[in-house]
Amino acid sequence: MTRVGVDLRIVHFARTGFHRFGRGLVQALERFPEPDAQYVLLVSEGAEPLSASPHLRHVYVQTPLFVPDEGDRLARELAPLALDVAHFPFSLFPGRVAPRVTLTVHDTTCLAWPETVEARYRQHYRSAIDRADTADVVITVSRATAEALREAGVRSPVRVVYQDTPFEQSCGLTGEADVAFFRHLLDAPYLLSVGSLEPRKNQASLLAAFATLRAGRRVRLVLVGGHGWLSAPFEAALERHPFRQDITVVRQANDATVALLMRHCAVFVHPSRHEGFGLPPLEALAGGACVVSTAVPSLVEAGFPRDGLIDPDDIPALHATLEHLLDDAPARRDLAFTAREVVGRFYRALPRT
């Protein structure tokens, strides 16, 4: 019996994309138990259990995240478990705590855009990549991230494993939608963007483009996302925006409400500067939305049409693209249909492991 420890401490640290990925990982372990493996979920002391499955054992650990001696402390604390394998699924790798170690790296923000990472976390993520050579296997979620790791000097075996997308399954977008909230948006077409509010996600460029766009037409902007790293400049720009009354910010929304917003938006806009995968534009696309995005790997690798891709720093081009699509309903439908067909074909054809 192989004992596999899965480090899920960060799932309760912040409700970001990691929280959602962790939830999906636990669900996968529930659905596909390995007869020759015992999975141990490593969670922070005091956190709520992540699963009721008898196949998954919870172990509460006291070693905190983001401390200088985290690796040594975690190794000592986990020694009595006699793990055969330890998996770090969230781009954080404090050190070898088992004879075999695997690491999942979701993105290389700390290398590509270090100024968008909060300073107190920057070195931890950078150190995780520096230590990746000591992992037995490194898993990434896109070819682009794998290439970035190799360029950074990682020589451990790197395997690309794409996330499940809504072209293969629902990705958990279920539940009861907040229809009352949705209805108050319907007095005008709306643009939608989903992602934590932070410089890397680049909602500031969208705010700037929206100011010009709104000056010439009746349109709303809906931003769905919680506070991310270094969000203060965005908050300041939001409050002084000339059309603040036409911008709706949803700090928390359940999956069903997000899916409803995606289905009915005029254009889904994803202006992010850097992604390792980028699930929201795929979800919007699968739901029928017209998507305008920067070159996130999940779209580029799947063959997303170039006329739907934008430069994150070219605000006039973003404005012009959105203006054209809002003016031309057939163009919106064509982009949505073509992109959905191409991207859906790519993800449905991927071999599943």
Side-chain angles (χ1 to χ4, degrees), residues 21 66 90 98 165 173-174 189 206 213 327:
F21 182 86
F66 306 116
F90 299 112
T165 75
L173 293 179
T174 58
L206 181 53
L213 195 67
D327 283 337

Side-chain angles (χ1 to χ4, degrees), residues 16 20 24 26 39 41 44 104 195 208 214 242 244 264 269-270 287-288 309 332:
T16 62
R20 187 169 173 191
V26 171
Y39 285 96
L41 308 184
S44 296
T104 297
R214 176 62 185 85
R244 177 65 181 89
H264 294 280
V269 192
H270 192 73
L309 297 178
R332 288 201 308 275

Side-chain angles (χ1 to χ4, degrees), residues 43 90 107 165 220 300 305 348:
V43 295
F90 299 112
D107 62 68
T165 75
R220 286 180 176 273
V300 173
R348 283 190 291 266

